[in-house]
Amino acid sequence: MPKTFFITTAIDYTNSPPHIGHAYEKVLADVIARYRRLKGDDVFFLTGVDQHGQKFSNPPRKRVYLQPSSSRRSRRSFVHLWKNLDVRYDEWAETTSERHKKVVQGILQRLFDAGQIYKDKQAGHYSIRQEQFLTDKERGPDGDLA
């Protein structure tokens, strides 16, 4: 009996071109997906790009990466690389797509209705690069990760 197997990768930021780390992750996920298909499993492989977040609104990058043409150009560089590497994903996700926005809004509304989203305060040192709050021990001299 075939098993259902779902594999996804990180969705890559389009604020810089793809690099060997992106390629490694996608090729590895593709190898796993192909292996599972050979075993007869029903496989769904998802990948994509993220065009949101503070990494895009950070002033040094704002001038270059918030321009729609730059985001489209960067997105194409990722798609082109996966095609050249013969990475065969089943679905492509983009955080700027209407489908993505609608799904996220629905999930957030359900969480809000269930009382799982609420206003509160968070204090500490926030790393835009790592997208997380850091403890004093984790902070380096530049205020980001040591």
Side-chain angles (χ1 to χ4, degrees):
M1 175 109 191
K3 295 180 183 175
T4 300
F5 185 78
F6 183 83
I7 188 164
T8 186
T9 66
I11 53 174
D12 302 312
Y13 282 111
T14 58
N15 61 343
S16 61
H19 54 70
I20 191 72
H22 295 119
Y24 174 75
E25 177 191 22
K26 295 342 176 252
V27 168
L28 184 58
D30 186 53
V31 167
I32 293 167
R34 288 175 192 229
Y35 170 74
R36 297 299 295 247
R37 285 185 181 109
L38 285 172
K39 286 181 58 177
D41 292 342
D42 181 24
V43 176
F44 187 85
F45 174 14
L46 173 69
T47 193
V49 291
D50 187 348
Q51 301 111 325
H52 286 106
Q54 288 179 301
K55 292 178 183 183
F56 291 93
S57 60
N58 203 15
R61 294 187 174 125
K62 189 173 186 174
R63 294 180 300 278
V64 177
Y65 294 107
L66 282 182
Q67 298 171 12
S69 62
S70 178
S71 181
R72 283 191 301 273
R73 191 169 45 253
S74 183
R75 173 205 173 276
R76 283 193 302 265
S77 67
F78 283 89
V79 171
H80 182 72
L81 180 58
W82 308 152
K83 184 176 180 176
N84 284 342
L85 292 174
D86 197 26
V87 172
R88 298 180 192 168
Y89 49 86
D90 296 299
E91 181 91 25
W92 179 261
E94 291 186 44
T95 58
T96 56
S97 75
E98 289 306 313
R99 177 180 175 200
H100 176 81
K101 292 175 192 176
K102 185 176 179 178
V103 168
V104 170
Q105 287 170 351
I107 291 168
L108 292 175
Q109 187 62 57
R110 285 195 303 276
L111 288 169
F112 180 79
D113 293 345
Q116 297 297 311
I117 296 178
Y118 51 88
K119 269 190 162 182
D120 204 346
K121 292 184 180 184
Q122 176 76 34
H125 310 288
Y126 185 76
S127 167
I128 292 172
R129 184 170 58 95
Q130 295 299 114
E131 297 185 326
Q132 68 184 32
F133 281 90
L134 304 176
T135 65
D136 287 336
K137 186 177 179 182
E138 293 170 322
R139 283 184 70 206
D142 64 350
D144 218 337
L145 284 182

